[in-house]
Amino acid sequence: MLKHNKESIGAITKLDIANDMAEYLDITKDKSGNIVEIIFLLIKENVSINKKLKVKNFGNFKLKLKRERVGRNPRTSESIKIAPRNVVTFYYSKTLRTNISTKNYFFNNGNYSKLLSAKLLKVLNDKNFDINTSHSYQMINTFFNILTHYLINRKRIEIRNFGVFEIRKYKAYKARNPKTGETIFIDEKELPFFKYSKGFIFI
């Protein structure tokens, strides 16, 4: 199990993630800080340019264009035009949802993202880190394992110019089966949620 600080007070930041990576990978905190910063930048770059990024067993980031629409000024109640804009959405994976609901601390040693691993390898070697493919895979895996473990512990993760990951609770409610029309009961659930910051999209 990853030995992160479960007693952290307040939101988790890049510094917390970097400290965990330094401990697990047995590298200096300065080096882990650079790695964490680069990974967040690579995620933003790929989503902004390629419109999407799939991270196995974690979730998918997608960039969508919201068309121009008519809204309402909350102060004056007047109708206003809202200009088209790009928004980032996050679709959590079934694995992430299951791990959170069951509090499963299984450490994933598979590859979360070959794309990010390859790009991280190039960037770090350009900075004379002298790593190989295996190292970059391990760094990406450790990064997403850390995020997953904090979410399992119901920690709020706040990353400046990136966004916020958190767990949201949804109360139990009654619904209707669309096929039979019968009333069904939906259990209370806790699901991962991501809200991007204005600094996420840079193109």
Side-chain angles (χ1 to χ4, degrees):
M1 185 188 297
L2 192 64
K3 295 180 180 180
H4 62 265
N5 182 10
K6 294 182 181 179
E7 303 302 323
S8 297
I9 299 174
I12 301 304
T13 66
K14 284 181 188 175
L15 181 60
D16 296 303
I17 298 168
N19 288 342
D20 285 339
M21 286 195 71
E23 180 180 353
Y24 187 81
L25 298 175
D26 193 23
I27 58 178
T28 67
K29 290 183 179 181
D30 283 344
K31 183 175 287 188
S32 67
N34 284 329
I35 292 168
V36 169
E37 185 71 37
I38 291 168
I39 293 174
F40 277 119
L41 285 174
L42 287 175
I43 294 172
K44 293 198 299 183
E45 177 185 90
N46 278 277
V47 176
S48 296
I49 296 174
N50 300 324
K51 311 300 182 187
K52 61 182 179 180
L53 175 66
K54 182 177 182 179
V55 182
K56 185 180 179 182
N57 295 325
F58 188 77
N60 298 337
F61 296 90
K62 290 187 178 181
L63 186 67
K64 291 185 176 182
L65 176 64
K66 273 197 171 182
R67 297 178 181 178
E68 182 182 280
R69 60 189 176 90
V70 176
R72 191 170 297 278
N73 187 314
R75 292 183 179 180
T76 65
S77 294
E78 292 179 342
S79 295
I80 55 173
K81 280 188 176 182
I82 300 176
R85 61 194 175 94
N86 284 318
V87 297
V88 177
T89 54
F90 174 72
Y91 301 90
Y92 57 82
S93 71
K94 183 178 179 180
T95 301
L96 179 61
R97 176 178 176 174
T98 300
N99 287 343
I100 288 169
S101 63
T102 60
K103 295 188 176 181
N104 177 16
Y105 287 92
F106 172 72
F107 194 96
N108 179 23
N109 291 314
N111 191 269
Y112 278 99
S113 173
K114 291 182 179 179
L115 176 64
L116 287 179
S117 296
K119 292 200 171 188
L120 180 64
L121 176 65
K122 183 180 185 308
V123 172
L124 291 181
N125 281 335
D126 286 346
K127 292 178 176 289
N128 298 316
F129 272 60
D130 190 26
I131 67 169
N132 58 34
T133 301
S134 178
H135 293 146
S136 65
Y137 277 7
Q138 186 182 26
M139 289 171 182
I140 292 296
N141 288 345
T142 302
F143 175 85
F144 284 107
N145 277 321
I146 289 170
L147 296 188
T148 299
H149 281 220
Y150 274 126
L151 289 173
I152 288 173
N153 279 292
R154 277 49 179 176
K155 294 293 186 180
R156 179 182 170 92
I157 305 169
E158 293 184 2
I159 307 300
R160 182 177 296 179
N161 292 324
F162 187 87
V164 174
F165 289 101
E166 63 182 2
I167 301 299
R168 289 193 171 181
K169 290 185 178 182
Y170 298 86
K171 295 181 179 180
Y173 64 94
K174 291 181 182 180
R176 190 170 297 278
N177 186 314
K179 292 184 178 180
T180 66
E182 294 178 342
T183 299
I184 56 176
F185 295 89
I186 308 298
D187 293 333
E188 181 181 77
K189 52 192 173 183
E190 293 181 304
L191 300 174
F193 177 83
F194 174 71
K195 182 178 181 180
Y196 71 98
S197 71
K198 289 182 179 180
F200 190 108
I201 306 170
F202 56 85
I203 62 168

